[in-house]
Amino acid sequence: TVQQLDEICSRIDRLAEQIAHPGFSAHDEQVTSEVVQLIQCMGESIAWAYGQHQRPGLGEQFAQPFVDRRLRDRLKALLTERKPLRRELQSRIAAQVLQTIHILLQATPAESTLFCNLTAGWYLNEVVAVQLDFRENEDLLPLWMTVVKDIATMLDRDNMMLFFDPCGEKPFPIFTEAIKYYHHPVSQVRTHVGATSLEIFLKLRDEGFWTE
């Protein structure tokens, strides 16, 4: 229910605050496991609600706690902020955050409140540009590349301004960050980079992309 999802979002908010506290150390494994489980449950619940086409509006109802409790900012903080956690625990959380963002981008209609929330203020640029330690979790880089490819796939003339920040330190990270892994030793990563680059080039070279 929406109330249960609101409680989950509230719990994630409290746990994220707890993890960020400088004195946090005890029960870190337990808290990490709970955060990962709750983030997964939240993402899957919202995706499920948006998939209930016979019940219009259910997705928006389920998305509201996510928006109201500013969970997008909590997810980004869990990716970007230094935390008093062992690196492998940070990587577990980061992997689930990326997986959840991927699920939400796949399931959320472009006209929905949640999609607007996730794309406003170059939020996804910040997610893509975050410096992650891919050495601790072999799934982390492919998950990150999947999110990058999600964005490249949805890119079009109407939403280009959501992913290109001319004043940003990294104006177009879905390309500039991805291309760094063009010669990566893992074939799956190279495939993602190639597919993402091709997707972007094909769209940018289309004359219709630049015309009103």
Side-chain angles (χ1 to χ4, degrees), residues 38-54:
L38 289 173
I39 292 174
Q40 178 182 4
C41 182
M42 176 191 67
E44 291 176 350
S45 297
I46 295 173
W48 170 83
Y50 273 115
Q52 302 304 301
H53 303 299
Q54 74 280 13

Side-chain angles (χ1 to χ4, degrees), residues 27-206:
H27 310 299
D28 52 356
E29 182 86 37
Q30 178 182 344
V31 172
T32 297
S33 296
E34 185 178 0
V35 167
V36 167
Q37 182 179 11
L38 289 173
I39 292 174
Q40 178 182 4
C41 182
M42 176 191 67
E44 291 176 350
S45 297
I46 295 173
W48 170 83
Y50 273 115
Q52 302 304 301
H53 303 299
Q54 74 280 13
R55 301 171 66 183
L58 187 65
E60 292 292 272
Q61 293 175 35
F62 270 64
Q64 204 59 52
F66 180 97
V67 175
D68 290 345
R69 293 188 179 276
R70 302 176 63 87
L71 259 293
R72 75 163 205 165
D73 297 326
R74 278 302 188 196
L75 294 183
K76 188 182 74 172
L78 287 170
L79 279 178
T80 60
E81 293 179 1
R82 292 183 176 274
K83 299 172 285 293
L85 282 175
R86 300 196 307 274
R87 286 194 301 179
E88 66 268 24
L89 298 182
Q90 293 189 42
S91 293
R92 281 175 54 192
I93 293 174
Q96 187 57 59
V97 168
L98 292 174
Q99 177 69 20
T100 297
I101 291 174
H102 164 63
I103 289 172
L104 294 178
L105 290 177
Q106 290 289 307
T108 308
E111 69 278 5
S112 67
T113 299
L114 184 56
F115 185 85
C116 293
N117 181 257
L118 289 173
T119 55
W122 297 297
Y123 174 77
L124 292 175
N125 276 18
E126 295 173 357
V127 169
V128 169
V130 68
Q131 297 299 306
L132 296 170
D133 187 352
F134 295 123
R135 297 169 297 177
E136 288 293 335
N137 186 332
E138 63 181 11
D139 295 327
L140 198 55
L141 180 53
L143 281 170
W144 177 83
M145 280 301 314
T146 298
V147 172
V148 173
K149 191 172 186 300
D150 286 339
I151 299 170
T153 301
M154 71 174 67
L155 186 69
D156 61 31
R157 182 182 64 184
D158 295 329
N159 64 24
M160 177 69 175
M161 77 291 294
L162 300 175
F163 309 111
F164 179 73
D165 177 10
C167 298
E169 182 180 345
K170 298 177 179 179
F172 198 43
I174 65 167
F175 177 72
T176 57
E177 293 301 300
I179 204 68
K180 293 177 180 178
Y181 300 97
Y182 188 79
H183 295 292
H184 196 275
V186 177
S187 61
Q188 182 186 8
V189 174
R190 295 197 304 273
T191 299
H192 273 305
V193 172
T196 299
S197 302
L198 181 61
E199 187 81 35
I200 293 171
F201 283 140
L202 288 176
K203 289 179 177 178
L204 293 182
R205 78 173 186 177
D206 184 357

